């Protein structure tokens, strides 16, 4: 293309309307700022390029070179027999189920490979080869050991004694590593699920054998000419997703807790306004906390702080984007600069001296944006490099973790003096209380004497808390940034539904002030407001990153164990939601929530619309198989109301719907309820 035409094409590209792109004022201001500086962002690209309608419906097959075969639904729907087929004869159901399975495989691989990295580092720690890390939470180590078949006591002279902790750590590390590739048996953590759920998985033939195998299995069976039965394909999607939720993700969470500490409530802040113009700003973005844990320590070290002062800065502000942000927020109270869709905007402030990225959810366009400023963009993972020449690669090695972290922070400090005059940090941020975990919920909601889930269950039974919702997942530039998350969460808490949140949804809630305990009085129904005020918690509990969705599975299991609300997760008045999902990881999460018995509603659109029979399998048949099922609803109020309707259906089945009508019960009321 001639240079002139090229420039014209760029000029004619449509620009996003900031007010339509986001509900967040800091984001709106920065989109405007980017447009003034003629820097293109994802928001502009989203108005300039529309998604492919056939791909969106899930019915484009590009698994062989006879295609891509595209099987759009005829206008007005199918009348009579559905005769659509690809060159090989693949039906829309086969194609959509194959595409769905590949999304599950990619999502499970991303979470589980993250988990593998953590397990490898943990093994180095247990072998005393990675000196910058230690075991911080021995209590958790001892708690998870039996689930991996590791004994925590030994018999000496006929007496039972506690086993040496170093020995336990080493065996836990080895057993954990084996989960990715063991040749026999099934994943060890599956038995942590309620027994009826485990039995359902067994009956349906979906107990994962090992983590890697279930992912490879999907890649094989979705190759041209293998599995051509949407039900059989989806069965394998379930198996691989369970290997993620109850395998790779759960191991990642557990081992991170053991090494870096199990989260407990912390006070922090969220949104771009956490950056400071007179400080060195380091932003970590991505997913794996191995390096970012070290960067936290390096940024807080006297050596680096003194160094920053010699360079004319008042200090160092570390903040995070995406799930890395959630990891270091939960354990250290490090503030969050923003969600997935704000990554380019953080650089456009002109005050980001270094952005350090590892894997997942990182825009390649960050490199183009960084070129317009002084920002050093540093990739750190052997798997995550960028082709642009302004990107610096510093490969992280867990054996020299602190050295690597200091090198990176020093680079940011040295870069402080290179800032241009174009600094604009939007002055918006909100305080938040984050840092919840299965353990800290038990402590907070269980009361100081009991430390259990009984009090939570009591409050659900007596109707003060109508139910529990997990609201999780991404931003998607095809929806208004944060609008769905916030509208849905507000509607849920208004109706006395306690919300557990992770991922970018949690950051969105924090930016809106919903993670402040004070928000209970403003936004909650009377029952939930009362519980939150008495206990001193926000109505939206931040449980961490997306791999920490495993915490939601275990919290639900604890609720089952505490009694009075049925025998399985599918009996509970709970529902799940990913309002603005975009990543393949979200599909894997959705599938393991559904297969664990949770009614799960996605926003935006699911790639199943072009294959109605397959869609019906996910939305209806799954309820019979696992007790949970998929749904999709774009309208946020209807979305929340569908979740509430499901919660009410479960309350009715449990016979506690009457309690809700009265909400506050006396002793006689309680005795009248036959559970
Ligand atoms: Ni989850 Fe976390 Fe955010 Fe979505 Fe990406 S950061 S792992 S995938 S975008 S929630």
């Amino acid at each position: 293309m001639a240079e002139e035409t090229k420039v014209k094409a760029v000029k004619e590209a449509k620009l996003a309307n900031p007010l339509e792109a986001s509900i967040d004022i800091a984001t709106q201001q920065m989109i405007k700022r980017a447009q003034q500086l003629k820097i293109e962002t994802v928001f502009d690209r989203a108005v300039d390029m529309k998604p492919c309608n056939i791909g969106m419906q899930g019915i484009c097959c590009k698994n062989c070179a006879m295609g891509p075969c595209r099987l759009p639904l005829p206008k007005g729907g199918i009348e009579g027999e559905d005769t659509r087929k690809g060159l090989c004869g693949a039906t829309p159901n086969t194609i959509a189920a194959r595409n769905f399975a590949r999304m599950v495989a990619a999502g499970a691989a991303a979470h589980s490979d993250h988990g593998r990295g953590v397990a490898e580092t943990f093994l180095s720690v247990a072998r005393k080869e990675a000196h910058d890390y230690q075991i911080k939470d021995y209590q958790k180590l001892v708690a998870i050991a039996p689930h991996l078949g590791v004994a925590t006591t030994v018999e000496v002279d006929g007496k039972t004694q506690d086993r040496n902790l170093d020995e336990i750590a080493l065996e836990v590390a080895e057993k954990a590593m084996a989960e990715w590739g063991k040749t026999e048996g099934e994943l060890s953590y599956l038995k942590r699920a309620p027994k009826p759920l485990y039995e359902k998985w067994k009956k349906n033939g979906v107990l994962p054998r090992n983590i890697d195998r279930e992912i490879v299995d999907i890649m094989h069976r979705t190759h041209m000419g293998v599995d051509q039965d949407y039900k059989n394909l989806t069965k394998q999607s379930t198996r691989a997703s369970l290997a993620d939720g109850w395998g790779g993700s759960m191991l990642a969470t557990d081992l991170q807790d053991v090494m870096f500490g199990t989260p407990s409530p912390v006070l922090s802040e969220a949104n771009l306004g956490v950056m400071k113009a007179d400080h060195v700003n380091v932003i970590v973005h991505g997913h794996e906390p191995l390096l970012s844990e070290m960067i936290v320590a390096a940024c807080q070290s006297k050596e680096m702080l003194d160094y920053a002062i010699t360079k004319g800065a008042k200090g160092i502000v570390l903040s995070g984007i995406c799930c890395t942000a959630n990891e270091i927020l939960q354990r250290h109270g490090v503030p969050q600069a923003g969600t997935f869709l704000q990554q380019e905007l953080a650089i456009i402030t002109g005050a980001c001296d270094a952005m350090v990225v590892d894997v997942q959810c990182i825009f390649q366009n960050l490199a183009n944006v960084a070129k317009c400023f002084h920002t050093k963009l540093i990739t750190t993972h052997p798997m995550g490099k960028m082709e642009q020449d302004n990107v610096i690669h510093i490969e992280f090695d867990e054996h020299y973790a602190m050295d690597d972290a200091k090198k990176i922070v020093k680079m940011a400090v040295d870069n402080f003096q290179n800032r241009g005059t174009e600094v604009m940090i939007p002055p918006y941020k909100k305080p938040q209380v984050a840092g919840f975990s299965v353990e800290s919920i038990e402590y907070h909601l269980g009361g100081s004497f009991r430390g259990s889930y009984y009090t939570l269950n009591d409050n659900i039974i007596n109707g003060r808390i109508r139910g529990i919702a997990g609201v999780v997942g991404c931003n998607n530039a095809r929806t208004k940034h944060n609008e769905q998350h916030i509208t849905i969460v507000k509607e849920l808490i208004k109706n006395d539904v306690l919300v557990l949140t992770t991922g970018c949804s949690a950051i969105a809630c924090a930016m809106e002030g919903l993670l402040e305990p004070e928000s209970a009085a403003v936004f909650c129904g009377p029952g939930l407001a009362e519980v939150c005020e008495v206990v001193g918690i926000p109505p939206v509990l931040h449980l961490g990153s997306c791999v920490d969705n495993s915490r939601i599975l275990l919290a639900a299991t604890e609720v089952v164990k505490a009694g009075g609300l049925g025998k399985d997760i599918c009996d509970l008045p709970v529902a799940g939601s990913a309002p603005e999902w975009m990543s393949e990881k979200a599909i894997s999460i959705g599938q393991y929530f559904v297969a664990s018995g949770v009614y799960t509603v996605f926003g935006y659109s699911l790639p199943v619309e072009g294959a109605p029979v397959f869609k019906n399998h996910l939305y209806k048949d799954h309820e019979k198989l696992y007790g949970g099922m998929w749904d999709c609803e774009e309208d946020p109020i209807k979305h929340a109301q569908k979740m509430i309707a499901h919660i009410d259906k479960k309350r009715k089945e449990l016979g506690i719907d009457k309690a809700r009508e009265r909400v506050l019960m006396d002793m006689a009321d309680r005795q009248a309820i036959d559970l």
Side-chain angles (χ1 to χ4, degrees):
M1 202 195 303
E3 201 53 34
E4 254 172 64
T5 345
K6 211 168 150 189
V7 171
K8 205 166 152 226
V10 172
K11 274 196 189 143
E12 282 174 3
K14 288 189 212 138
L15 294 179
N17 175 343
L19 298 180
E20 283 169 13
S22 175
I23 59 164
D24 170 50
I25 184 163
T27 303
Q28 293 167 353
Q29 281 190 359
M30 290 312 294
I31 296 172
K32 215 164 143 202
R33 174 73 173 160
Q35 291 172 349
Q36 281 162 356
L37 297 173
K38 302 220 174 331
I39 300 170
E40 168 210 282
T41 66
V42 62
F43 299 98
D44 301 322
R45 292 190 291 278
V47 290
D48 208 40
M49 186 174 72
K50 293 290 161 213
C52 162
N53 186 34
I54 299 169
M56 265 184 80
Q57 294 176 43
I59 36 166
C60 170
C61 180
K62 49 186 179 57
N63 293 14
C64 88
M66 296 196 291
C69 293
R70 309 186 316 159
L71 273 53
L73 266 182
K75 277 208 178 85
I78 309 270
E79 270 177 40
E81 201 190 336
D82 187 352
T83 53
R84 293 174 295 159
K85 50 175 102 64
L87 260 63
C88 70
T91 65
N93 298 321
T94 299
I95 292 172
R98 273 202 301 231
N99 289 337
F100 188 87
R102 285 197 167 195
M103 293 182 88
V104 170
H111 284 146
S112 300
D113 213 37
H114 165 169
R116 185 203 318 269
V118 176
E120 283 170 347
T121 302
F122 183 63
L123 182 61
S124 302
V125 173
R127 287 180 177 156
K128 311 229 181 273
E129 292 168 359
H131 303 293
D132 294 327
Y133 300 97
Q134 313 94 36
I135 291 174
K136 283 206 182 136
D137 190 344
Y138 279 103
Q139 213 178 338
K140 181 124 186 182
L141 172 70
V142 171
I144 65 167
H147 298 301
L148 288 163
V150 177
T152 54
T153 54
V154 275
E155 295 288 320
V156 179
D157 300 332
K159 283 189 194 141
T160 307
Q161 284 183 5
D162 286 344
R163 200 174 161 203
N164 175 289
L165 290 169
D166 287 347
E167 267 177 45
I168 297 177
L170 190 58
E171 203 181 328
V172 163
E174 286 165 353
K175 287 270 170 63
M177 281 301 304
E179 294 295 288
W180 273 265
K182 62 187 179 190
T183 48
E184 281 178 356
E186 65 200 37
L187 288 189
S188 305
Y189 272 4
L190 300 171
K191 290 218 167 83
R192 296 177 80 170
K195 195 149 187 287
L197 181 55
Y198 175 86
E199 293 302 330
K200 249 180 248 166
W201 293 335
K202 194 168 174 187
K203 186 172 140 236
N204 288 316
V206 295
L207 293 172
R209 294 155 287 187
N210 70 50
I211 297 164
D212 287 348
R213 180 167 183 178
E214 304 311 346
I215 294 162
V216 171
D217 182 312
I218 285 186
M219 297 315 288
H220 177 188
R221 78 170 66 215
T222 58
H223 181 277
M224 195 273 152
V226 187
D227 202 349
Q228 342 229 342
D229 171 4
Y230 68 93
K231 287 187 187 164
N232 205 39
L233 281 155
T234 311
K235 183 174 150 188
Q236 182 57 24
S237 293
T238 301
R239 207 174 194 184
S241 73
L242 293 173
D244 173 358
W246 294 85
S249 282
M250 202 171 275
L251 284 161
T253 299
D254 278 352
L255 298 178
Q256 285 171 181
D257 282 356
V258 172
M259 277 195 290
F260 309 136
T262 302
S264 58
V266 284
L267 187 63
S268 189
E269 293 174 328
N271 213 343
L272 290 164
V274 303
M275 297 171 74
K276 289 185 184 159
D278 52 6
H279 283 55
V280 174
N281 289 293
V282 181
I283 296 185
V284 282
H285 169 26
H287 284 79
E288 297 185 355
L290 295 172
L291 172 63
S292 52
E293 275 286 322
M294 290 297 126
I295 292 195
V296 173
C299 285
Q300 291 169 351
S301 72
K302 187 164 182 319
E303 180 192 345
M304 285 298 139
L305 288 170
D306 288 348
Y307 187 59
I309 287 163
T310 66
K311 297 286 170 182
K314 290 209 170 126
I316 303 173
V317 171
L318 174 67
S319 59
I321 288 190
C322 283
C323 283
T324 289
N326 288 322
E327 299 282 2
I328 54 177
L329 163 78
Q330 295 291 89
R331 299 191 178 90
H332 304 283
V334 170
Q336 300 173 310
T339 63
F340 171 69
L341 281 184
Q342 290 169 284
Q343 52 186 289
E344 293 164 308
L345 307 182
I347 297 179
I348 294 167
T349 60
C352 176
D353 301 302
M355 184 176 275
V356 189
V357 302
D358 51 26
V359 284
Q360 302 167 27
C361 305
I362 296 149
F363 289 173
Q364 184 164 357
N365 198 55
L366 286 182
N368 303 331
V369 177
K371 252 185 207 163
C372 307
F373 297 90
H374 74 304
T375 306
K376 300 261 187 237
L377 181 60
I378 304 167
T379 54
T380 57
H381 199 286
M383 231 182 237
K385 293 191 177 182
M386 288 187 187
E387 69 187 38
Q388 289 97 324
D389 55 14
N390 60 322
V391 181
I392 303 160
H393 187 72
I394 300 180
E395 200 150 306
F396 169 64
D397 179 340
E398 80 250 23
H399 297 96
Y400 306 99
M402 198 49 170
D403 293 346
D404 290 342
K406 281 192 179 159
K407 189 166 157 192
I408 289 167
V409 175
K410 186 169 179 295
M411 195 175 269
V413 173
D414 286 334
N415 200 26
F416 177 72
Q417 291 173 331
N418 299 329
R419 271 200 207 161
T421 47
E422 309 283 4
V423 171
M424 189 190 118
I425 300 173
Y428 302 101
K429 59 181 177 180
K430 283 273 165 71
Q432 61 169 323
V433 175
F436 288 90
S437 56
V438 175
E439 295 82 351
S440 64
I441 291 178
E442 178 173 324
Y443 175 74
H444 277 269
L445 277 165
S448 41
F449 297 111
R450 291 204 269 183
S452 75
Y453 274 65
Y454 295 131
T455 314
L456 175 60
N457 283 29
D458 272 356
N459 278 305
I460 296 173
I461 293 165
N462 69 30
R464 282 192 190 94
I465 296 177
R466 188 175 193 155
I468 302 177
V471 183
V472 307
C474 326
N475 285 142
N476 184 326
R478 300 294 177 198
T479 67
K480 191 171 184 173
H481 172 237
N482 287 359
E483 183 177 56
Q484 314 287 315
H485 288 298
I486 300 308
T487 313
I488 289 167
V489 168
K490 282 188 179 165
E491 183 70 9
L492 289 168
I493 60 178
K494 186 176 107 188
N495 285 283
D496 292 321
V497 176
L498 177 71
V499 173
L500 309 181
T501 183
T502 61
C504 289
S505 188
I507 306 176
C509 290
M511 285 164 51
E512 188 69 16
L514 296 175
L515 302 192
E516 293 178 78
E518 294 72 27
S519 68
V522 184
F523 297 110
C524 293
L528 181 60
E530 189 188 337
V531 175
C532 291
E533 278 159 32
V534 169
V535 183
I537 52 166
V540 182
L541 304 181
H542 190 334
L543 264 75
S545 64
C546 286
V547 297
D548 292 334
N549 281 319
S550 61
R551 297 193 202 276
I552 301 183
L553 296 174
L554 291 177
T557 304
E558 288 304 316
V559 172
V560 172
K561 272 196 223 154
L565 290 170
K567 301 262 176 289
D568 196 352
I569 294 177
C570 66
D571 298 330
L572 304 175
V574 304
S577 160
E580 301 177 23
W581 79 280
M582 64 87 206
S583 91
E584 291 163 315
K585 290 177 283 179
I587 295 292
S588 179
I589 294 166
Q591 186 66 15
Y592 73 64
F593 267 103
V594 166
S596 300
V598 180
Y599 170 59
T600 303
V601 193
F602 271 39
Y604 181 52
S605 169
L606 278 171
V608 298
E609 293 301 324
V613 178
F614 167 60
K615 176 181 167 182
N616 194 58
H617 184 54
L618 292 179
Y619 286 35
K620 299 269 178 330
D621 300 349
H622 270 55
E623 188 172 14
K624 288 173 224 126
L625 294 171
Y626 306 107
M629 63 288 200
W630 281 88
D631 204 346
C632 183
E633 177 56 61
E634 207 175 358
D635 180 285
I637 296 291
K638 282 191 199 148
H639 184 120
Q641 284 301 337
K642 279 182 157 188
M643 296 167 75
I644 294 166
H646 180 80
I647 285 170
D648 285 350
K649 177 176 119 183
K650 292 294 163 184
R651 293 190 68 88
K652 191 154 189 225
E653 284 170 14
L654 288 164
I656 54 172
D657 49 330
K658 296 279 180 303
R660 165 105 206 118
E661 281 161 24
R662 278 167 287 182
V663 181
L664 302 179
M665 295 191 301
D666 58 22
M667 189 59 81
D669 290 333
R670 282 159 168 263
Q671 283 164 351
I673 294 175
D674 183 20
L675 286 172

